[in-house]
Amino acid sequence: MQKAVYPGSFDPVTYGHLDIIERASFLFDEVIVGVIANPRKIPAFTMEERKEMLEKVTKKFKNVKIELFSGLLVDFVKSQGARVIIRGLRAISDFEYEMQLAFTNRSLAHDVETMFLLTNMNYAYINSGLVKEIASLGGRLEDLVPEEIIPYLKKRFPKE
Ligand code: ADP
């Protein structure tokens, strides 16, 4: 059974993330979406909220599960019985950071591979930061995140 881990902050999950999850779920027997507990930036949503949002939008994929993790990614990957890390690539701007991350993880664990899935062109411009900015300004979110996520954003960024 081939398992893959898709790690990220998912603060919150966007259509870009969901597209990567869907495509990974066709390629692997099981996809574990790993919500990072200790992101570099202070998140807008708690780990539990981020997990809950991911669970709502991935309900339809039977081989996808959501887990929270802290500590080293490669340790989490091994604890899940997986050998593959999935990351999404949007633009060249993602590449340098992603390459550094992949090399670091390879040096920490030679038996764990990183695989990149190229973004769906329609979602290439979407990131969680942009979503939060639009939400805080009261803009239209329908093209950026699944509808289940909108109430969470409205609650977190209420209109003045
Ligand atoms: P991180 O804080 O680890 O970058 P994110 O939640 O921002 O976590 O992203 C998780 C992964 O999803 C990363 O590999 C990122 O490149 C990818 N990703 C984010 N947005 C998109 C998108 N619109 N299309 C494809 N991949 C994306």
Side-chain angles (χ1 to χ4, degrees):
M1 177 146 144
Q2 279 293 351
K3 295 184 187 183
V5 169
Y6 177 40
S9 314
F10 306 105
D11 187 42
V13 57
T14 68
Y15 273 133
H17 296 130
L18 195 57
D19 177 67
I20 299 287
I21 294 171
E22 179 168 12
R23 282 192 283 137
S25 81
F26 291 134
L27 294 171
F28 291 91
D29 298 308
E30 185 172 22
V31 176
I32 301 119
V33 181
V35 182
I36 299 167
N38 46 353
R40 285 155 296 147
K41 286 174 254 162
I42 297 169
F45 296 98
T46 65
M47 279 179 69
E48 289 69 28
E49 284 171 322
R50 287 182 274 148
K51 180 170 191 249
E52 193 178 291
M53 288 187 269
L54 276 159
E55 273 165 355
K56 282 195 178 159
V57 299
T58 60
K59 246 196 341 240
K60 52 184 175 287
F61 309 126
K62 297 298 165 222
N63 60 342
V64 172
K65 68 170 183 175
I66 319 298
E67 297 286 347
L68 305 174
F69 80 98
S70 55
L72 281 180
L73 172 59
V74 289
D75 290 343
F76 174 67
V77 171
K78 287 181 182 174
S79 75
Q80 294 296 313
R83 288 185 47 201
V84 175
I85 298 169
I86 299 282
R87 294 288 287 176
L89 274 184
R90 280 160 294 190
I92 302 285
S93 51
D94 278 342
F95 187 74
E96 209 167 303
Y97 170 68
E98 291 294 341
M99 196 173 77
Q100 192 182 31
L101 203 67
F103 280 140
T104 307
N105 286 326
R106 184 180 293 169
S107 77
L108 292 169
H110 294 276
D111 49 349
V112 173
E113 281 295 341
T114 302
M115 276 178 59
F116 296 102
L117 294 181
L118 204 56
T119 182
N120 179 321
M121 242 159 62
N122 299 333
Y123 307 136
Y125 68 101
I126 303 177
N127 65 56
S128 299
L130 176 84
V131 167
K132 286 179 276 191
E133 200 170 325
I134 307 245
S136 69
L137 298 169
R140 218 183 100 82
L141 296 162
E142 278 73 5
D143 297 334
L144 306 173
V145 295
E147 60 180 351
E148 296 92 325
I149 307 305
I150 295 178
Y152 288 87
L153 282 161
K154 293 214 159 132
K155 189 170 165 225
R156 179 64 184 77
F157 300 100
K159 269 203 199 126
E160 252 96 89

